[in-house]
Amino acid sequence: MAFVVAIDGPAAAGKGTVARAVAGHFGLSYLDTGLLYRAVGLAVNRGKDAIAVAQKLDLSQLNDRELRTQAAAEAASKVACEPDVREALIATQREFAQRRNGAVLDGRDIGTVICPNANVKLYVFASPEVRAARRYNELTMQGSECDYQTVLKKVQDRDALDEERATAPLAAAVDAKMLDTTSLKIDEAVARAISIIEQARRDQ
Ligand code: CDP
C-alpha cells in the first residue's frame, strides 16, 4: 500500500506550506483538497449547480488563479457544509491517495474521513490572531486592500463554519500528531513535520 500523509487544520495554520514541503522532501504527490471545495464554490458563484460540478470535477481544473482569492475561500466554506458535495468529492481524493509513489493530502477531514488509515496524520494549528496576521500579510503582498480586524473576523467565522458543520467537521483525528505553528517559522514547522514522518516510517 502507498505511503499516505494526512494533514488537517484550520485556515492559515501553515498546513499547505508544510504539506508541499513534506511532499517534496519525501517524493510524494501532493493534493491541496481545499482547491476542490474552492472550485465548487466558485462555480456556484458563477451560477452552476454545486453537486453537478463536484461530481464532474477533475484535478486538471485546479489551476485557475481565481481559486486563490478570498471570495473563493468563503464560497468554499459554504459548499463544504453540504453533505452531498462532500460525498461527491470523496472518490477523487481517495483515488489520489492511492498514487504509487505515495501521497500527501491536506484539508479538514483527511485523517478523520478521507484517509482514516493514513500512515501519518498531522494536525497543524496556530492561534487565530497569528493565523489572521499571516493571511493579512499574504493578502497585502498580493496587493489586496484589507485591514487586520476584518481578516481576523473572517478567519474566526470560517473556523466556526468548519468546526460546527454536521458532516465531517474540522477536527483532529484521535491518532493525529499535533503541530502548533503559533511561534514557529516556516522552516521550523517543516522540520518538525519531517521528523514526525521519519519517526512514523521507522516505526512501520
Ligand atoms: O487555506 P485555507 O484554509 O484558507 O483554505 P482551504 O484549505 O483552501 O479551504 C477552503 C475551505 O474549504 C475551508 O474553509 C473548508 O470549509 C473547506 N474544506 C473542507 O471542508 N474540507 C477540506 N478537506 C478542505 C477544505
Side-chain angles (χ1 to χ4, degrees), residues 146-200:
C146 56
D147 72 278
Y148 171 78
Q149 287 306 331
T150 309
V151 176
L152 175 60
K153 170 89 175 47
K154 287 192 170 169
V155 162
Q156 289 166 329
D157 288 350
R158 218 135 63 80
D159 283 358
L161 265 184
D162 282 344
E163 286 163 3
E164 289 161 19
R165 70 171 167 246
T167 309
L170 168 65
V174 282
D175 49 349
K177 300 273 186 296
M178 305 302 277
L179 180 55
D180 181 356
T181 68
T182 304
S183 48
L184 296 182
K185 299 201 180 75
I186 288 173
D187 52 345
E188 293 169 330
V190 169
R192 279 204 203 172
I194 288 174
S195 109
I196 291 170
I197 295 165
E198 274 168 350
Q199 183 64 48

Side-chain angles (χ1 to χ4, degrees), residues 100-142:
R100 288 183 55 177
N101 58 318
V104 179
L105 286 83
D106 85 44
R108 301 293 193 284
D109 62 342
I110 308 303
T112 50
V113 174
I114 304 297
C115 302
N117 299 320
N119 301 75
V120 185
K121 297 178 186 176
L122 282 177
Y123 189 83
V124 182
F125 66 104
S127 73
E129 291 74 18
V130 163
R131 291 187 285 120
R134 288 178 189 158
R135 194 45 48 100
Y136 172 80
N137 288 338
E138 251 171 52
L139 291 168
T140 46
M141 296 231 295
Q142 287 168 10

